Amino acid sequence: LHYPLRRQRQMCIRDRLLTIKETAEALKISVSTLYRWIHQRKIEYVKIGSRVLFTDEMLNDYIKKNTVTTKQT
């Protein structure tokens, strides 16, 4: 199927936005923990209307910022 360019662009953006449930599953945490992190502003998110969404980039940034590296001896 071929969609007009605008339709493809909309599908790509929507496909890259993750819901609360999808994000919690991706991070292997509970939904309530994710809501707590949102409330505490520990993790970035996108707010569209009443929906809270996340991008892959936001999750990757969060993981990088919270990665503990080994000690160099």
Side-chain angles (χ1 to χ4, degrees):
L1 292 174
H2 293 284
Y3 295 100
L5 183 58
R6 186 170 54 176
R7 175 78 173 137
Q8 287 179 350
R9 195 175 303 139
Q10 288 173 345
M11 287 177 62
C12 291
I13 291 169
R14 186 175 30 203
D15 289 345
R16 286 181 279 165
L17 293 174
L18 302 170
T19 65
I20 291 281
K21 184 177 177 183
E22 291 168 335
T23 301
E25 288 173 1
L27 294 175
K28 300 194 182 332
I29 59 171
S30 70
V31 169
S32 61
T33 296
L34 184 54
Y35 274 117
R36 186 173 63 251
W37 290 358
I38 292 164
H39 180 72
Q40 295 169 344
R41 300 204 180 226
K42 287 187 174 185
I43 190 167
E44 286 184 292
Y45 59 91
V46 176
K47 183 96 182 220
I48 299 177
S50 62
R51 298 186 69 198
V52 175
L53 303 165
F54 303 85
T55 64
D56 286 336
E57 185 178 354
M58 288 174 179
L59 300 187
N60 288 331
D61 287 346
Y62 182 81
I63 291 168
K64 283 180 186 176
K65 289 176 188 174
N66 290 281
T67 298
V68 179
T69 58
T70 58
K71 256 187 172 178
Q72 299 285 329
T73 55

